[in-house]
């Protein structure tokens, strides 16, 4: 499932072919994904110049000249493929239409961006750009983990007195938006905090230590995604799924990477999601 760094990578991959260009034709091949598409979506997109791309949490926001913004959510299995010829950039021949190609943006510059989603947990919606903060998927989101509003004081304040496990608190999108299961596991390992520890029972100093670790883990993954972008132009044009080395995530029964630790990584299930941690290094 794509998390914030993957979404950032997809955004960085489609931005060069979308920004400043006009959507010559938006091809919408079904009425819905996870939810129905907005009314007349194809018409509202066709002919619009793309002013810029942004990311909020795990959503890609495409600002249009019509003062509307297209929200794209990749869901569980959503994929973006870029094809076509751009001078000096890359050249992937347009692929034959495939099953699950639900939305295709035919750009005036000759590029094509295909949204393919086998499981259809993805979503697209249109909103007034000026009122994007009121959108139901956005209005309750906490601050961005890489933004200034997310800092030590804020996190200490938000976790104070909380009885929930720290793992669940960091996954709570109202506290910090865009953090998912994989990167929370990695952050807690680096912080040496057990995922089941009650959030309100962790010292302020240890809570504060989470903030730079969250930024580091996400920034490193975004950097890895950026490297994968330089490679994808030689591969098949698919964006956002890159190999990344994890220290605990999906490493159950493998040795802990801490020098001299000697224990193996444990997997437990919390709120229906797998947590991976070292029982020796994380307390
Ligand atoms: Zn260990």
């Amino acid at each position: 499932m794509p998390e914030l760094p993957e979404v950032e990578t997809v955004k960085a991959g489609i931005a060069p072919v979308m920004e400043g260009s006009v959507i010559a034709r938006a091809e919408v091949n079904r009425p819905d994904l996870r939810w129905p598409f907005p009314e007349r979506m194809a018409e509202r997109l066709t002919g619009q110049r793309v002013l810029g791309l942004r990311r909020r949490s795990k959503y890609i926001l495409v600002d249009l000249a019509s003062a509307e913004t297209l929200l794209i959510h990749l869901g569980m299995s959503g994929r973006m493929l870029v094809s076509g010829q751009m001078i000096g950039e890359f050249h992937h021949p347009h692929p034959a239409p495939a099953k699950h190609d639900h939305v295709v943006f035919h750009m005036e510059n000759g590029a094509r961006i295909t949204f393919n989603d086998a499981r259809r947990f993805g979503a697209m919606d249109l909103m007034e750009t000026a009122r994007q903060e009121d959108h139901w998927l956005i209005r309750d989101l906490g601050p961005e983990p890489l933004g200034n509003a997310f800092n030590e004081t804020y996190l200490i304040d938000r976790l104070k007195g909380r009885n929930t496990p720290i793992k669940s608190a960091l996954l709570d999108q109202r506290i910090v938006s865009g953090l998912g299961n994989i990167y929370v596991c990695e952050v807690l390992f680096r912080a040496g905090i057990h995922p089941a520890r009650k959030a309100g029972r962790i010292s302020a100093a240890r809570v504060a230590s989470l903030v730079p670790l969250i930024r580091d883990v996400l920034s490193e993954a975004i950097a890895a995604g950026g490297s994968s972008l330089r490679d994808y132009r030689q591969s098949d044009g698919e964006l956002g799924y890159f190999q990344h080395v994890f220290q605990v995530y999906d490493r159950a029964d493998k040795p802990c990477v801490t020098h001299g630790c000697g224990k193996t990584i444990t997997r437990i299930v919390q709120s229906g999601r797998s947590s991976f941690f070292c029982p020796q290094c994380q307390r």
Side-chain angles (χ1 to χ4, degrees), residues 256 258 261 278 280-281:
C256 173
T258 304
C261 169
C278 172
Q280 170 93 350
C281 298

Side-chain angles (χ1 to χ4, degrees), residues 5 146 183 190 213-227 242 244-245 247:
L146 297 171
Y183 296 104
R190 290 199 194 182
L213 290 174
I214 287 169
R215 295 216 171 101
D216 287 353
V217 163
L218 292 176
S219 303
E220 287 166 23
I222 289 170
S227 321
F242 46 92
H244 193 53
V245 180
Q247 293 186 300

Side-chain angles (χ1 to χ4, degrees), residues 256-281:
C256 173
V257 297
T258 304
H259 184 70
C261 169
K263 293 276 189 243
T264 56
I265 302 303
T266 301
R267 173 185 173 269
I268 56 169
V269 175
Q270 295 179 281
S271 314
R273 332 245 340 234
S274 292
S275 292
F276 300 89
F277 66 100
C278 172
Q280 170 93 350
C281 298

Side-chain angles (χ1 to χ4, degrees), residues 1-281:
M1 180 164 180
E3 293 204 18
L4 188 155
E6 288 80 9
V7 175
E8 187 67 37
T9 304
V10 171
K11 189 202 83 178
I14 60 177
V17 294
M18 290 195 95
E19 284 184 337
S21 186
V22 169
I23 302 172
R25 185 164 70 92
E27 179 188 329
V28 180
N29 295 327
R30 51 175 302 117
D32 55 12
L33 288 172
R34 182 169 186 175
W35 300 292
F37 286 135
E39 278 176 40
R40 302 185 304 108
M41 182 167 93
E43 288 163 61
R44 286 157 77 183
L45 293 171
T46 294
Q48 289 303 321
R49 184 173 298 280
V50 174
L51 302 180
L53 266 65
R54 295 174 290 135
R55 180 191 55 73
R56 175 77 170 104
S57 186
K58 294 173 197 170
Y59 306 115
I60 296 170
L61 300 175
V62 182
D63 293 329
L64 306 169
S66 58
E68 287 198 301
T69 293
L70 172 70
L71 175 147
I72 302 173
H73 183 39
L74 300 171
M76 308 278 284
S77 57
R79 303 181 303 143
M80 287 282 192
L81 286 97
V82 176
S83 57
Q85 188 162 18
M86 293 281 292
I87 300 153
E89 279 280 338
F90 64 93
H91 182 191
H92 290 298
H94 294 312
K99 206 178 172 189
H100 313 302
D101 283 354
H102 303 311
V103 179
V104 185
F105 303 100
H106 301 263
M107 304 303 293
E108 201 176 59
N109 60 19
R112 190 185 289 177
I113 300 105
T114 302
F115 183 78
N116 180 292
D117 186 1
R119 297 178 64 183
R120 298 206 305 265
F121 279 103
M124 285 195 198
D125 200 4
L126 278 162
M127 63 187 119
E128 270 180 67
T129 306
R131 301 190 54 199
Q132 55 150 324
E133 285 298 322
D134 301 332
H135 190 274
W136 68 279
L137 287 170
I138 293 179
R139 65 186 172 218
D140 296 324
L141 291 176
E144 287 287 318
L146 297 171
N148 290 334
F150 181 71
N151 56 44
E152 285 83 349
T153 317
Y154 168 83
L155 191 60
I156 290 166
D157 187 53
R158 289 303 301 265
L159 298 188
K160 202 173 286 173
R162 264 181 203 264
N163 244 341
T164 50
I166 184 66
K167 169 89 187 295
S168 314
L170 293 178
L171 285 177
D172 185 339
Q173 301 297 301
R174 294 165 298 185
I175 295 177
V176 52
S177 71
L179 266 189
N181 198 38
I182 296 174
Y183 296 104
V184 168
C185 289
E186 295 295 305
V187 163
L188 290 175
F189 175 73
R190 290 199 194 182
I193 297 174
H194 194 291
R197 182 169 280 276
K198 301 241 185 297
R201 301 284 300 275
I202 303 170
S203 73
R206 293 183 87 199
V207 169
S209 79
L210 285 167
V211 172
L213 290 174
I214 287 169
R215 295 216 171 101
D216 287 353
V217 163
L218 292 176
S219 303
E220 287 166 23
I222 289 170
S227 321
S228 79
L229 275 186
R230 285 185 284 279
D231 301 334
Y232 95 90
R233 298 193 170 116
Q234 282 86 52
S235 64
D236 65 355
E238 182 180 336
L239 297 167
Y241 294 84
F242 46 92
Q243 285 302 109
H244 193 53
V245 180
F246 299 115
Q247 293 186 300
V248 284
Y249 182 77
D250 207 18
R251 292 197 64 245
D253 302 323
K254 301 224 167 71
C256 173
V257 297
T258 304
H259 184 70
C261 169
K263 293 276 189 243
T264 56
I265 302 303
T266 301
R267 173 185 173 269
I268 56 169
V269 175
Q270 295 179 281
S271 314
R273 332 245 340 234
S274 292
S275 292
F276 300 89
F277 66 100
C278 172
Q280 170 93 350
C281 298

